[in-house]
Structures are given as structure tokens and as C-alpha cells.
Amino acid sequence: MIEFKDVTKSFTSGIVKTDVLKGLNFRIDKGEFVAIMATSGTGKTTLLNILGCLMKASSGSYLFEGRDIETLNDDQLSEIRNKKMGFVFQSFNLLEKTSAIDNVLLPLVYSDVYPSDAEQKAAKLLESVGLKDRINYKPGELSGGQQQRVAIARALINDPAFILADEPTGNLDAVSAKEIMGIFKSLHSQGKTIIVVTHDINIARQAARIIFLKDGKVEKEEVLK
Ligand SMILES: Nc1ncnc2c1ncn2[C@@H]1O[C@H](COP(=O)(O)OP(=O)(O)O)[C@@H](O)[C@H]1O
Ligand SMILES: [Mg+2]
């Protein structure tokens, strides 16, 4: 479970201080499919960075599975990141000269354990996102939608409970966007917790609940299904 209590985030550059998040309160339970919706430049990526333990809040508290993130050291934070969370980005963030399967294996290369069945697992994940016949293709040889599916397979390689996606369909045409959201829906039905941040209400509406942000705060929440 994720709980934010009065979370704020400010950035200071020179003498200018920008208050981006101004006291966020919300809760996301395990197994939910939530969209966090706000217009551009309002702090969605900042919020996702905090949720993903990549950045700390300026004040307030973030409880992840009952643990106060503020009290954890860097090793504990990276353990949460690596074992519990999978990240999906707008620009896919794949290594260009590396095949789809090796991109999917990348998180394991950086972790302390490399399971003997890693390649099989990566191939299976690529198959599950419809890329069975593309596992040796490089990102440049794949469409945007296919690249994002590789990125989703990569996010799943460590069996994370949480998938955090930052505008995952922002670089995609409508058809590919729908396919990507379909994959998230199916992951949700398999028990994953999915958190998608977006500025696009049509994308947000495909989640089961929407948290709307405005002016650094939660404006309202809407339960859809
Ligand atoms: N590292 C940073 N240093 C200074 N300002 C930042 C930093 N990251 C984000 N900001 C500012 O915070 C605001 C929100 O940015 P961001 O979270 O990227 O919004 P969004 O993802 O909703 O477009 C912007 O005004 C941006 O300039
Ligand atoms: Mg952003």
C-alpha cells in the first residue's frame, strides 16, 4: 500500500524557489489501477519520482507498505526500487544498440542475482506483450508501440508488485496507445498495482480510479469501475 500525507516538493534554483507539490494526500491500495491526471508542468513526473523512491519529498510523509520512506537509507531505497517497482517512461528509455531481449534482461544484469532461467523468462515476457517474433530486434527496428512493449517487459523482469508509468502513451498514436493501455489492464487483472500519470483524460479514463491534481494538490478523485 502507498500512502501520501501532506507531501510537498519544492525546487530551488538560484534564488528562485518553485513549489511544485503543495501538500498531497492520497492512498493507493495493492492491486489497484490508478491514473494520476494533471496538465503538463504541474508535477506529475516529480510525483512519480517520489513514488518510485528516486527522489525524496521536501516535507510530509510517504508510507510504502507501512514503511516511512524518509527513514530508509539508500540501500533500502534501491532494494524497494529494484524488487518492488517497474518503471515505464514516455520515451521508452531502451538501449539503442541492444536487442529487445537484452533490453529486457538489463535490470537483472545490474542486480546481485542473475537467475539461470533469465533468458527464458525474458523471452516469455516479450511473448506475453506480443513480441515473440521480435526478440532479437533492436529498438530502431521496432515501432513506437513495440518499443514501449519491450519497456513494459523490462519493467516486469523482477516481478514487481507495482508498475509506475510516466505518460506511457505520450509518444504513441491512438492505436498503439490503446494496445499499451490494454496491456496495463491485463497486468492489473493479474494482480499488479498499476499507477499511470498522464495529462490525457482519455488515457486516465481507462484506469479504475483517477486522482486529479491541480495547483500542486489533489483536486478530486473519481472511481470508474
Ligand atoms: N530538478 C528540478 N529542478 C528544478 N525544477 C524542477 C526540477 N524538476 C522539475 N522541476 C519543475 O517542476 C515543475 C513540474 O515538473 P514536472 O514534474 O516535470 O511536471 P510534469 O511531469 O507534470 O510535466 C516544472 O515547473 C519544472 O520546471
Ligand atoms: Mg512529466
Side-chain angles (χ1 to χ4, degrees):
M1 196 197 49
I2 279 174
E3 195 168 7
F4 267 41
K5 288 183 192 160
D6 289 322
V7 167
T8 74
K9 183 71 188 180
S10 306
F11 294 106
T12 308
S13 122
I15 53 161
V16 183
K17 181 167 166 263
T18 314
D19 300 319
V20 179
L21 306 176
K22 302 177 188 170
L24 290 183
N25 292 286
F26 62 80
R27 210 183 121 139
I28 296 174
D29 286 321
K30 223 170 190 160
E32 277 203 275
F33 183 5
V34 175
I36 298 175
M37 156 92 199
T39 51
S40 278
T42 52
K44 295 186 299 299
T45 296
T46 303
L47 169 55
L48 212 70
N49 285 337
I50 296 173
L51 275 172
C53 302
L54 294 158
M55 184 189 268
K56 283 194 170 172
S58 301
S59 70
S61 74
Y62 169 16
L63 299 180
F64 179 82
E65 295 182 335
R67 296 160 89 189
D68 186 343
I69 288 299
E70 185 58 39
T71 64
L72 305 181
N73 64 32
D74 286 348
D75 287 345
Q76 292 169 315
L77 292 173
S78 58
E79 176 155 339
I80 290 181
R81 262 196 315 271
N82 296 334
K83 303 231 163 96
K84 306 268 183 170
M85 298 178 178
F87 295 89
V88 178
F89 305 93
Q90 176 172 357
S91 50
F92 323 133
N93 295 12
L94 300 173
L95 292 186
E96 282 305 320
K97 294 183 178 146
T98 304
S99 66
I101 188 158
D102 285 339
N103 266 288
V104 173
L105 287 166
L106 213 60
L108 293 178
V109 173
Y110 291 123
S111 79
D112 41 357
V113 277
Y114 191 86
S116 56
D117 63 347
E119 278 88 6
Q120 262 170 293
K121 190 176 174 186
K124 233 175 147 180
L125 284 169
L126 284 167
E127 187 178 342
S128 76
V129 295
L131 294 176
K132 190 181 178 180
D133 55 353
R134 294 284 188 278
I135 67 172
N136 292 312
Y137 282 51
K138 295 190 174 114
E141 299 163 346
L142 297 169
S143 71
Q146 289 171 333
Q147 289 183 55
Q148 193 61 302
R149 287 189 261 153
V150 174
I152 293 173
R154 179 184 58 189
L156 293 168
I157 193 79
N158 278 323
D159 299 315
F162 293 81
I163 299 288
L164 306 183
D166 190 351
E167 308 250 20
T169 61
N171 284 0
L172 303 178
D173 61 79
V175 172
S176 307
K178 206 166 169 202
E179 284 167 7
I180 295 300
M181 292 311 287
I183 292 173
F184 286 137
K185 281 181 201 172
S186 134
L187 291 170
H188 172 230
S189 69
Q190 292 162 36
K192 300 276 184 207
T193 310
I194 314 283
I195 304 175
V196 174
V197 306
T198 180
H199 67 273
D200 182 342
I201 188 65
N202 294 317
I203 294 297
R205 290 214 173 280
Q206 296 178 55
R209 180 160 70 96
I210 310 178
I211 300 174
F212 291 87
L213 303 185
K214 195 178 179 185
D215 197 25
K217 294 194 168 190
V218 174
E219 180 190 23
K220 59 177 179 177
E221 297 194 26
E222 199 178 317
V223 177
L224 301 166
K225 14 195 122 106

